Amino acid sequence: MGGPVRWFIHNPIAANLLMLFLLVGGVLGVPALEKQFFPTFELNRVSIALTYPGAGPGEVEEQICVRIEEAIHDLSGIKEIRSTAREGIGTVVVEAEAGYDMQRLTAEIKTRVDAINTFPVEAERPIVTELAFRHYMAAVSLAGDLGERDLKRLGEQLRDDLAAQPNVSVVELESPRPYEVSVEVSEYTLRRYGLT
């Protein structure tokens, strides 16, 4: 055993003084540390989603995703482009380079995507959104001996009450089904008008 370890063994006062300096330095340095309860998190991503009802994933890839990629691939500030083609919907996620102005990139992407006039006629309008990170605080599930419509109404009321709180910025309903209108015509009436 040699070097500094041997020296500290033979000079315990110096070892204790070094430990004391380290502890005092640590205690004095704590206030200068940057502390956050929820650290800031930047996504730097833009999402382009386009619904194409009735189309399979292959058709969505060809008719939607590839055309969007070709339209935006040469924009400055783009780090990576990822596409997902599913039944009836195509999604393209663009990741920006660090420090690039996201509002500018989102506007440029929207301009380019809106200029595409070769989308299928059945496809809906593309939705371009800048993805933002939100702190997820809580999830509330509703269940009970109520009908689906009443549960949905109760969920909407709960959402509105929570959103009215001063420290709550966003409240979303996760998976309610949209309202449906069902029209049933009697068989006799259909026959009367010669319909099957």
Side-chain angles (χ1 to χ4, degrees):
M1 204 186 308
V5 175
R6 173 175 287 206
W7 189 82
F8 278 118
I9 289 173
H10 293 298
N11 298 297
I13 293 173
N16 288 335
L17 276 174
L18 177 65
M19 182 181 68
L20 184 67
F21 285 136
L22 289 174
L23 287 173
V24 168
V27 168
L28 292 176
V30 166
L33 288 175
E34 191 174 320
K35 299 173 285 295
Q36 289 181 319
F37 189 70
F38 291 113
T40 358
F41 186 75
E42 286 187 26
L43 281 178
N44 292 343
R45 292 194 180 122
V46 177
S47 167
I48 305 122
L50 198 146
T51 306
Y52 184 12
E59 199 175 356
V60 169
E61 181 184 6
E62 253 180 59
Q63 304 290 324
I64 306 296
C65 296
V66 171
R67 291 180 185 176
I68 292 173
E69 287 176 10
E70 288 172 351
I72 64 171
H73 77 280
D74 60 340
L75 286 173
S76 59
I78 292 180
K79 180 180 176 183
E80 183 181 13
I81 299 174
R82 274 178 274 127
S83 300
T84 307
R86 293 192 310 262
E87 186 86 26
I89 188 167
T91 308
V92 178
V93 177
V94 179
E95 185 175 348
E97 293 172 355
Y100 197 81
D101 183 6
M102 288 305 295
Q103 289 182 336
R104 178 179 172 197
L105 182 63
T106 305
E108 289 173 351
I109 289 172
K110 184 162 177 42
T111 303
R112 291 272 184 102
V113 170
D114 287 344
I116 300 171
N117 57 8
T118 56
F119 286 133
V121 180
E122 301 85 16
E124 296 177 10
R125 292 182 53 85
I127 299 167
V128 179
T129 51
E130 181 184 340
L131 299 178
F133 179 74
R134 291 194 200 132
H135 298 294
Y136 185 75
M137 296 302 290
V140 177
S141 296
L142 295 177
D145 292 335
L146 296 170
E148 186 176 351
R149 191 166 110 204
D150 294 331
L151 273 176
K152 185 175 178 181
R153 246 191 235 140
L154 186 62
E156 288 169 347
Q157 182 183 349
L158 181 62
R159 176 197 60 199
D160 296 342
D161 290 347
L162 285 172
Q165 299 302 314
N167 296 324
V168 178
S169 58
V170 177
V171 182
E172 293 176 345
L173 285 179
E174 188 80 15
S175 56
R177 292 195 291 189
Y179 288 114
E180 250 178 45
V181 176
S182 178
V183 178
E184 293 182 19
V185 183
S186 71
E187 194 175 333
Y188 170 75
T189 309
L190 287 173
R191 282 193 192 145
R192 203 168 107 202
Y193 290 101
L195 300 171
T196 58

